[in-house]
Amino acid sequence: MESFTSTVKSQVFYLDGFDAKGTTMSISICYWYENSARSSLDAFMPPRILERAFYKTLEEFPVIAGHLKADASSRMYIDVDKDNLNMPVYTDTCCEVEYSTVRESGFNIHKLPIDMGSKCGVPVPSGLVGGRIVPAHFRVVRFKDNSGVLVYSRITHYITDGYGYTQFMNRWAEVSRWIQQSQDANAAPLPERQYIHDRAFHADYRTKQTTALEPKVIDSLTTRTMFSRWLGWVAPETRARIYKAMSGSTDTTCSYFHVSAKQMEDIRTSVQKHAPEGIRYSMNDVFTAYLTIVVGQAMEKVSTDWWSKPIPAAIRAIFGNSLGKPVDFVTGSSVNIRTRLSHPDANIFMGNMATRKSIVVPPEQFQTEPTAEALSTIALRIHQAISAFDEQYAGQLGYLLDKEPDSYVWRMFNSIKSRNVIGVSNQFRFAHYDVDFGAGIPSIVRHVPYPSTNNLFIMPANPTIGGYELEFNLPPAVEANLVQNNAWMKLVDKYDSYP
């Protein structure tokens, strides 16, 4: 730790609107490593080396050791004060659970006697650390007889997005490998990396024009409510407690589905045959289209079942069948803005550059079987929407999102209204399975679920077991309908769920 605390410089990082949205959530992921050869503790992810590497990596990510504050105008910033650091929590402990038990549990953290602390993704002030919001929490758990290791890491979302998160994890792993190899006199020096944390980076592509934005998007960023105005004004710690209370009231079931990579490629190939000339569907286009159909139907069935009950049915008979009729489905597909920018340093910027593009799908398009033709119709909507998210669109969205200190709150409360909404976070290209601390890549990588309803994560293909892992946070009734969908469950080869 001293290598970091003795060299870090005091500095301030003002957050922009993309960062500010992240003050209500954290990125929490578990990396599971099996010691199949039962190597010794000194040979399999040694504690001292991992810890030393962690603090050396922190030297390149000082923003993780800052306090979240707000100025007089309510604009938030991260204050890295070398004399009053807000250090992330780092622990390395052992437990009496065999790694084989972990595997048999389906890597379900809730089935294991391991306390990971708060399972809520909202970063809240902790009384254990003086009432401050802890910027990050890293925990290494070593299983019985050194049979394996769990590396759990939680970073508050205002510090970075999923892409930046994997950059930190891979750098930590790279430094760990280098320290182990540096014991050899002929070892190569540590590769140099550059990371940009200064949010002034955004100024190069921001524009005051709004010609590329849809009217609903503009409305969501320019329409204030009394509640959103107040929520943007209160202190970050107070806002965190409010979001904690709001998320804690959400009834959510967390479920994992595994889908064969070959099956998905076969589906993508079939769907591609129905694409207009010159359009090539990505796996994200097809995957998101498939989820739009099956999850959309599961959500709509909840409404249909409710309106079929005696009292709602009587109300509908009196006031007309327009009550409870199917509504548009809204899929929010994730976009990594870095890939849209011409700036040469976009890939080394570690602030938040991820957002979601909303795609509205009418009932007649998602209330159907997921045939290649039906999937192509929705995949085309998704493809066109994502393709339209260019540098100009990103600059205009960023300008409005950052125009007022509380614009990000308006966006959260004034987004497109629909009872059928999902957010799909596509992490295909995130390098989770490159995180090798010197003992090989992880067996599996999973988020620690939190009660944020209607969020779906598509993880990158797992090179160890093959295929894609999908993580869903859905209301119990929606998940129950989803697993009764024959088309979906035929595609799925593994399924696990817990409340």
Side-chain angles (χ1 to χ4, degrees), residues 56 67 148 157 302 338 360 376 422:
K56 185 167 182 59
H67 292 270
H157 219 316
V302 173
R338 296 172 184 82
V360 180
S376 178
I422 58 169

Side-chain angles (χ1 to χ4, degrees), residues 19 65 229 242 260:
D19 296 312
R229 193 169 193 170
I242 293 169
S260 159

Side-chain angles (χ1 to χ4, degrees), residues 175-334:
V175 175
S176 295
R177 297 194 304 272
W178 173 76
I179 292 175
Q180 293 171 71
Q181 295 163 2
S182 64
Q183 298 172 15
D184 183 342
N186 298 318
L190 176 66
E192 291 187 5
R193 307 286 181 202
Q194 282 189 309
Y195 305 100
I196 298 174
H197 302 287
D198 187 351
R199 272 51 173 181
F201 172 88
H202 287 299
D204 289 346
Y205 68 95
R206 291 286 166 84
T207 171
K208 295 182 179 180
Q209 301 296 319
T210 58
T211 53
L213 303 180
E214 301 87 346
K216 286 186 177 180
V217 173
I218 296 173
D219 287 345
S220 73
L221 286 164
T222 55
T223 305
R224 267 182 166 174
T225 65
M226 291 299 293
F227 182 62
S228 65
R229 193 169 193 170
W230 174 77
L231 204 56
W233 170 79
V234 298
E237 293 82 3
T238 302
R239 184 166 47 248
R241 291 188 177 96
I242 293 169
Y243 276 107
K244 168 76 170 180
M246 292 169 63
S247 63
S249 63
T250 304
D251 191 10
T252 302
T253 296
C254 304
S255 49
Y256 296 105
F257 298 91
H258 183 270
V259 177
S260 159
K262 182 181 183 306
Q263 273 191 288
M264 280 310 303
E265 179 55 35
D266 289 345
I267 291 173
R268 195 201 67 79
T269 302
S270 298
V271 175
Q272 182 61 46
K273 294 176 182 177
H274 296 271
E277 186 177 353
I279 299 292
R280 184 186 185 281
Y281 292 139
S282 67
M283 184 62 78
N284 179 63
D285 296 333
V286 176
F287 231 136
T288 306
Y290 207 109
L291 294 175
T292 297
I293 289 179
V294 296
V295 179
Q297 291 174 5
M299 287 186 170
E300 190 58 47
K301 189 174 185 302
V302 173
S303 174
T304 302
D305 291 346
W306 188 85
W307 282 104
S308 66
K309 294 178 180 179
I311 294 178
I315 295 173
R316 194 176 185 185
I318 296 171
F319 294 100
N321 289 332
S322 61
L323 291 175
K325 70 177 183 179
V327 298
D328 292 344
F329 190 83
V330 182
T331 297
S333 184
S334 61

Side-chain angles (χ1 to χ4, degrees), residues 388-426:
F389 201 116
D390 56 12
E391 184 165 325
Q392 181 188 32
Y393 190 101
Q396 294 180 12
L397 178 64
Y399 165 72
L400 278 185
L401 193 57
D402 204 35
K403 187 177 180 181
E404 300 292 341
D406 55 348
S407 294
Y408 72 97
V409 182
W410 313 351
R411 171 94 165 146
M412 293 167 62
F413 281 89
N414 301 327
S415 57
I416 296 174
K417 303 294 190 301
S418 174
R419 68 169 179 255
N420 290 345
V421 180
I422 58 169
V424 181
S425 178
N426 165 19

Side-chain angles (χ1 to χ4, degrees), residues 67-255:
H67 292 270
L68 179 63
K69 296 181 178 180
D71 63 17
S73 70
S74 297
R75 191 169 297 277
M76 286 182 288
Y77 62 95
I78 299 172
D79 181 17
V80 180
D81 181 352
K82 67 181 181 65
D83 296 320
N84 181 29
L85 293 170
N86 189 12
M87 291 296 290
V89 175
Y90 183 93
T91 60
D92 192 316
T93 58
C94 298
C95 74
E96 290 302 307
V97 178
E98 272 277 355
Y99 193 86
S100 57
T101 304
V102 171
R103 197 187 318 107
E104 291 164 7
S105 77
F107 299 95
N108 187 334
I109 195 71
H110 292 261
K111 293 181 179 178
L112 300 172
I114 304 172
D115 180 15
M116 300 311 299
S118 173
K119 296 183 178 71
C120 180
V122 179
V124 294
S126 171
L128 297 177
V129 287
R132 61 184 170 88
I133 294 177
V134 180
H137 187 136
F138 299 87
R139 184 172 182 187
V140 180
V141 179
R142 301 179 183 277
F143 296 100
K144 187 177 181 180
D145 299 329
N146 202 34
S147 53
V149 169
L150 162 64
V151 177
Y152 162 77
S153 53
R154 178 188 64 77
I155 301 178
T156 49
H157 219 316
Y158 61 80
I159 290 174
T160 189
D161 55 17
Y163 173 85
Y165 177 100
T166 56
Q167 294 296 303
F168 177 88
M169 293 301 296
N170 274 284
R171 182 57 167 173
W172 179 15
E174 181 179 42
V175 175
S176 295
R177 297 194 304 272
W178 173 76
I179 292 175
Q180 293 171 71
Q181 295 163 2
S182 64
Q183 298 172 15
D184 183 342
N186 298 318
L190 176 66
E192 291 187 5
R193 307 286 181 202
Q194 282 189 309
Y195 305 100
I196 298 174
H197 302 287
D198 187 351
R199 272 51 173 181
F201 172 88
H202 287 299
D204 289 346
Y205 68 95
R206 291 286 166 84
T207 171
K208 295 182 179 180
Q209 301 296 319
T210 58
T211 53
L213 303 180
E214 301 87 346
K216 286 186 177 180
V217 173
I218 296 173
D219 287 345
S220 73
L221 286 164
T222 55
T223 305
R224 267 182 166 174
T225 65
M226 291 299 293
F227 182 62
S228 65
R229 193 169 193 170
W230 174 77
L231 204 56
W233 170 79
V234 298
E237 293 82 3
T238 302
R239 184 166 47 248
R241 291 188 177 96
I242 293 169
Y243 276 107
K244 168 76 170 180
M246 292 169 63
S247 63
S249 63
T250 304
D251 191 10
T252 302
T253 296
C254 304
S255 49

